[in-house]
Amino acid sequence: MPDKIIERILAAADTPDLLDILTNRLSLSDLQSLLLEVYRQHAASLTPSDILKQYENNRFVVPSQVNPQQQLEFDHLAYSVLPPGFEALELSPVSPLGTNSVVATVNQNKVLSTIRNTEVTADVTNVLALECAKRRRAAKHTRDHEIIKLCASHRVLRTQQVNSPNLFQHFRLLGLCTAGRDRGSYSFEIDALIEHLEFYFRLFEAANHSGFVIADVRVSLTAFDKIRYNALQVSVLEKLATQYPQISFAFDRERETGRGYYDSAGFHIYGRDSSGTEYFLVDGGFTDWTQQLLNNKKERLLISGIGSERFVLCFR
């Protein structure tokens, strides 16, 4: 479908090589200057009634359904149970063009690109990974084994159509990233994974004491790298199952979603609301993003995130 649209536009412009000119013959800065003028002239032709009509019909500009006071309460709970060493950041509304598609292999059409060579932030962890890589590179010669732990609660926007009442075009995400260097014996990965999982367990417990209702929490862990199965079974699942008997733990050996996005391991966390409906709450796993960003195979990165706005809407 997009190819047909492009073909129609090129035919209407009577300039068959227009796409090549804009993509390959103009620098990004020159393209930005050209598009800024195009949109300036288009904006100058709009009337106040045009703006109101757009506001009424554009799915990207609809206000959130969640009470902001309840959202703030959830964020406060999350920050209050952060593990030691985690730094909370307030991210920019935009990130570099390609943040999601170049490193994380998400289709660029799923994010809102801007004409200033940026994109509206579509995932917290992608941006936190950039910040982790920046800090890891700065510490390379002095504190190479320093672990970077970052957290952010941020409103993100995605462009694919959503048709569920519990899914939104823009929504708040709470994300965590732990970045460091391979220590051998899979020890960095095990420690980071346990720390992330225990954070969510504490968050759910705190939520249950603060007006939210979440029950039957269960963790599903997948070893995309099969050689890590025994280490994850003994050092993560069995250990946590003993410490948290109220939570269910299991391996999902059939899971394929996330393979290629995550590498050695990934996990999901689920929970039920007061009516017994189960929701997929937390997605996490190890990625090679900092390896790519720093061109170093020894770099390690664990990311995880929860749709906090959806949690507030469904479990409050």
Side-chain angles (χ1 to χ4, degrees):
M1 181 63 71
D3 291 340
K4 293 182 179 180
I5 294 174
I6 297 300
E7 290 174 4
R8 175 182 60 76
I9 294 171
L10 296 178
D14 195 24
T15 310
D17 58 346
L18 177 61
L19 185 61
D20 178 63
I21 293 172
L22 297 177
T23 305
N24 300 314
R25 302 188 209 177
L26 292 182
S27 66
L28 278 177
S29 60
D30 285 346
L31 179 62
Q32 173 181 288
S33 298
L34 175 64
L35 293 177
L36 282 170
E37 179 59 21
V38 169
Y39 275 91
R40 186 194 68 79
Q41 293 191 24
H42 274 294
S45 68
L46 297 173
T47 67
S49 62
D50 293 330
I51 303 301
L52 179 58
K53 184 176 180 180
Q54 287 188 55
Y55 183 74
E56 292 173 334
N57 293 284
N58 190 323
R59 59 192 168 97
F60 298 130
V61 303
V62 177
S64 169
Q65 299 179 37
V66 171
N67 183 311
Q69 291 180 309
Q70 294 178 357
Q71 183 66 58
L72 287 170
E73 180 184 351
F74 179 88
D75 284 349
H76 176 74
L77 283 176
Y79 290 139
S80 72
V81 298
L82 272 178
F86 269 86
E87 178 184 349
L89 299 180
E90 182 69 22
L91 303 178
S92 169
V94 296
S95 51
L97 183 68
T99 294
N100 289 270
S101 63
V102 175
V103 176
T105 66
V106 174
N107 192 308
Q108 189 66 34
N109 290 338
K110 293 183 178 180
V111 303
L112 187 63
S113 305
T114 83
I115 61 174
R116 290 188 180 271
N117 300 323
T118 59
E119 60 192 41
V120 177
T121 299
D123 195 310
V124 173
T125 56
N126 299 76
V127 184
L128 290 180
L130 289 173
E131 184 65 24
C132 284
K134 175 184 174 181
R135 297 187 184 196
R136 288 283 298 154
R137 182 161 64 181
K140 181 176 181 180
H141 299 295
T142 57
R143 305 183 304 278
D144 192 39
H145 289 279
E146 180 182 6
I147 297 177
I148 308 297
K149 301 178 182 182
L150 301 176
C151 170
S153 174
H154 190 76
R155 180 163 297 280
V156 302
L157 186 148
R158 298 175 183 175
T159 60
Q160 60 265 49
Q161 290 274 3
V162 295
N163 300 308
S164 169
N166 294 322
L167 297 176
F168 319 105
Q169 293 296 160
H170 63 86
F171 51 94
R172 202 159 191 86
L173 275 180
L174 178 75
L176 276 65
C177 279
T178 300
R181 186 176 177 84
D182 177 32
R183 299 199 304 251
S185 303
Y186 210 52
S187 61
F188 172 89
E189 289 86 345
I190 290 172
D191 290 347
L193 183 56
I194 289 175
E195 190 168 53
H196 278 226
L197 288 171
E198 290 189 315
F199 161 73
Y200 293 108
F201 301 161
R202 290 195 301 272
L203 176 57
F204 296 151
E205 181 180 7
N208 271 332
H209 288 91
S210 301
F212 299 90
V213 179
I214 176 172
D216 299 331
V217 174
R218 66 180 180 93
V219 176
S220 174
L221 184 62
T222 297
F224 294 117
D225 179 357
K226 302 302 182 184
I227 198 173
R228 304 301 182 187
Y229 176 85
N230 287 338
L232 292 170
Q233 175 69 41
V234 174
S235 300
V236 178
L237 285 196
E238 292 181 4
K239 177 180 179 180
L240 292 177
T242 300
Q243 296 177 349
Y244 300 91
Q246 76 278 18
I247 296 174
S248 299
F249 298 88
F251 264 101
D252 183 353
R253 302 193 185 200
E254 306 301 322
R255 174 185 168 189
E256 290 297 325
T257 57
R259 184 182 296 277
Y261 188 88
Y262 297 122
D263 43 30
S264 65
F267 68 90
H268 289 162
I269 302 179
Y270 301 83
R272 295 187 186 276
D273 65 10
S274 57
S275 71
T277 301
E278 185 178 71
Y279 292 89
F280 169 36
L281 298 175
V282 179
D283 186 21
F286 295 96
T287 75
D288 65 355
W289 298 349
T290 49
Q291 293 181 29
Q292 295 183 62
L293 291 165
L294 297 173
N295 193 29
N296 188 331
K297 293 294 186 182
K298 290 292 187 179
E299 292 295 322
R300 297 292 181 265
L301 180 70
L302 174 63
I303 67 171
S304 67
I306 179 171
S308 55
E309 186 160 333
R310 183 165 171 260
F311 183 88
V312 171
L313 184 68
C314 298
F315 290 89
R316 181 69 180 181

